[in-house]
């Protein structure tokens, strides 16, 4: 009875995770009771202790008690190792407290009829596109509010369906590029803590993350999405980070057989009957997406123009606004990637000109 009551309490209070229906189900996420700020354990301390078992991508409160947390690992193997070592045992590094643990799954709202056969994944490991990584709870709710206040205090540029801000270099939608000679100044101080966190991103292992010098902030009203595109190879280096705040969405990735969306000089009609690979992932608020390698260079990314997204048979209503912070590094010189069929540097400008205008992209 006590266990059932605790499970019910968790499901009622925690909007992000829930108990698996099957007791043998495992996941990268651990629900940990008798652990949290109200028992004298900070989230940073908890993360440090659990990091001994593998990469911890986030630790946050499971409910309002402050005595239960969710520890999120980058993979299930690390979560299993922590569970086997700590569940039901006193932990000296956590003031000798005996932890009560179980695996936990992301929780979604009520089911609706899904008319799209496309599966939407919750984890980048399920998406299985090389170079695509997603970290949940990359920033805290308090940090999210700081970012929103900062951009709302800054001037917006209005486009047809959304508003944008550019820092470092302005993105030129007509050419899908930037003018590297027109430097707008360093990235704003209000994103310094985001850049610091990016430098410790789990992948890739090198420290290229600190070199980001271009930022585009997009504000998407409910129902407004992103046209399918690949960020121009010759414009930006390999790593592209996108932080989602204020509201959720799904992002679809598409891989076309010839690399480009349309054949050179073609139209939408020319793509009828062309088979392409589709995969999609759910981007919750405060999550950071990294596109690198094949996922950045060879897959189009796209956000459907929906007011309600359907994920695993369940509906998620988009918020009144979603704000994205996209961090990139302006490329100096031509791209020399291995994905030549998608590379404007190696195939000429037809690759990028073959796509429609980017007014609703980037």
């Amino acid at each position: 009875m006590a266990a059932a009551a605790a499970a019910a309490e968790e499901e009622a209070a925690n909007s992000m995770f829930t108990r698996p229906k099957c007791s043998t189900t495992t996941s990268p996420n651990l629900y940990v009771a008798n652990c949290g700020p109200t028992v004298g354990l900070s989230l940073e301390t908890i993360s440090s202790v659990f990091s001994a078992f593998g990469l911890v991508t986030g630790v946050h409160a499971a409910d309002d008690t402050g005595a239960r947390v969710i520890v999120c690992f980058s993979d299930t193997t690390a979560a299993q190792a922590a569970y086997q070592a700590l569940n039901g045992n006193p932990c000296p590094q956590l003031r000798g407290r005996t932890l009560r643990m179980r695996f936990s799954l992301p929780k979604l709202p009520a089911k609706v009829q899904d008319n799209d056969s496309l599966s939407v994944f919750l984890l980048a490991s399920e998406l299985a596109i090389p170079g695509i990584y997603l970290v949940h709870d990359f920033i805290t709710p308090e940090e999210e509010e700081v970012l929103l206040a900062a951009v709302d205090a800054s001037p917006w540029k209005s486009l047809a369906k959304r508003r944008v801000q550019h820092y470092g270099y302005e993105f030129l939608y007509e050419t899908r590029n930037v003018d590297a000679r027109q430097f707008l100044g360093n990235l704003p101080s209000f994103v310094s803590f985001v850049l610091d966190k990016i430098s410790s991103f789990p992948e890739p292992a090198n420290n290229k993350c600190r070199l980001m010098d271009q930022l585009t902030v997009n504000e998407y009203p409910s129902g407004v999405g992103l046209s399918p595109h690949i960020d121009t190879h010759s414009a930006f280096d390999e790593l592209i980070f996108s932080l989602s705040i204020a509201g959720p969405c799904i992002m679809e990735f598409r891989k076309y057989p010839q690399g480009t969306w349309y054949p050179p000089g073609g139209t939408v009609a020319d793509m009828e009957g062309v088979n392409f690979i589709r995969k999609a992932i759910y981007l919750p608020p405060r999550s950071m997406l990294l596109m690198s390698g094949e996922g950045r260079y060879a897959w189009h990314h796209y956000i459907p123009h929906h007011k309600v997204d359907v994920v695993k048979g369940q509906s998620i209503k988009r918020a009144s606004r979603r704000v994205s912070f996209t961090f990139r590094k302006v490329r100096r010189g031509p791209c020399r990637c291995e994905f030549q069929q998608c590379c404007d540097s190696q195939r000429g400008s037809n690759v990028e000109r073959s796509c429609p205008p980017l007014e609703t992209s980037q």
Side-chain angles (χ1 to χ4, degrees):
M1 291 292 293
E9 180 181 355
E10 175 196 2
E11 292 180 2
N14 174 30
S15 61
M16 294 183 60
F17 293 90
T18 188
R19 185 172 183 160
K21 293 181 179 180
C22 178
S23 60
T24 60
T25 299
T26 60
S27 81
N29 313 304
L30 289 175
Y31 172 83
V32 185
N34 200 24
C35 184
T38 60
V39 295
L41 301 173
S42 69
L43 300 185
E44 292 77 12
T45 298
I46 298 168
S47 176
S48 176
V49 172
F50 278 82
S51 292
F53 302 94
L55 177 65
V56 173
T57 60
V59 179
H60 52 271
D63 53 34
D64 294 333
T65 67
R68 305 181 185 97
V69 298
I70 301 290
V71 179
C72 299
F73 287 93
S74 63
D75 60 74
T76 300
T77 301
Q80 289 174 320
Y83 180 89
Q84 292 171 1
L86 300 179
N87 184 42
N89 299 321
C91 181
Q93 298 92 338
L94 296 175
R95 297 192 172 187
R97 303 194 71 83
T98 299
L99 308 181
R100 303 297 178 186
M101 303 163 61
R102 58 175 172 265
F103 292 96
S104 194
L105 296 175
K107 180 183 177 184
L108 296 173
K111 286 191 174 183
V112 297
Q113 183 64 35
D114 186 356
N115 295 319
D116 191 341
S117 60
L118 179 66
S119 295
V120 178
F121 298 108
L122 303 176
L123 303 173
S125 57
E126 299 173 321
L127 192 69
I129 296 178
I132 300 296
Y133 303 91
L134 180 68
V135 174
H136 292 245
D137 294 303
F138 188 78
I139 62 172
T140 66
E142 293 75 18
E143 291 170 335
E144 178 182 38
E145 291 302 320
V146 168
L147 291 176
L148 286 173
V151 294
D152 284 339
S154 303
W156 291 94
K157 178 180 179 180
S158 296
L159 301 181
K161 295 183 178 180
R162 73 187 196 286
R163 300 190 300 175
V164 299
Q165 295 178 16
H166 298 289
Y167 298 93
Y169 298 88
E170 182 174 4
F171 184 83
L172 306 175
Y173 295 97
E174 299 80 8
T175 61
R176 295 173 173 261
N177 213 318
V178 297
D179 185 347
R181 298 167 297 181
Q182 298 295 319
F183 181 55
L184 303 178
N186 294 328
L187 298 191
S189 59
F190 60 77
V191 298
S192 297
F193 73 93
V194 180
L195 294 172
D196 288 340
K197 290 189 175 186
I198 282 177
S199 68
S200 61
F201 204 88
E203 294 290 345
N206 57 48
N207 203 29
K208 291 181 181 178
C209 313
R210 286 191 175 275
L211 302 177
M212 301 291 111
D213 61 5
Q214 196 275 332
L215 166 63
T216 295
V217 181
N218 284 287
E219 180 193 56
Y220 298 96
S222 179
V224 175
L226 181 72
S227 299
H229 70 284
I230 297 174
D231 285 47
T232 310
H233 288 206
S234 62
F236 304 108
D237 281 350
E238 177 185 356
L239 307 183
I240 298 175
F241 293 88
S242 182
L243 175 67
S244 297
I245 64 175
C249 72
I250 64 171
M251 179 172 284
E252 182 177 325
F253 291 88
R254 297 180 173 186
K255 191 172 186 181
Y256 292 87
Q258 300 303 318
T260 58
W261 184 3
Y262 302 147
T267 66
V268 175
D270 296 322
M271 291 303 294
E272 292 181 1
V274 174
N275 293 322
F276 56 90
I277 303 172
R278 298 175 66 201
K279 296 185 177 184
I281 192 167
Y282 173 60
L283 304 180
R286 299 183 297 281
S287 64
M288 178 69 87
L289 177 75
L290 167 60
M291 293 181 286
S292 63
E294 179 181 327
R296 176 268 189 269
Y297 285 130
W299 290 73
H300 290 68
H301 55 283
Y302 160 58
I303 297 176
H305 300 262
H306 296 165
K307 289 193 174 181
V308 177
D309 292 312
V310 178
V311 182
K312 296 186 182 296
Q314 302 174 2
S315 73
I316 302 176
K317 184 178 180 181
R318 292 196 189 171
S320 59
R321 68 190 299 210
R322 171 181 172 266
V323 179
S324 68
F325 287 67
T326 303
F327 297 88
R328 296 173 283 209
K329 174 71 173 70
V330 173
R331 186 182 294 279
R332 307 292 176 174
C335 179
R336 293 288 182 256
C337 70
E338 61 182 289
F339 305 97
Q340 297 184 13
Q341 65 177 359
C342 306
C343 184
D344 61 307
S345 288
Q346 300 177 71
R347 290 187 58 195
S349 59
N350 281 341
V351 172
E352 295 301 330
R353 288 176 182 169
S354 64
C355 296
L358 267 184
E359 199 286 322
T360 56
S361 298
Q362 304 293 342

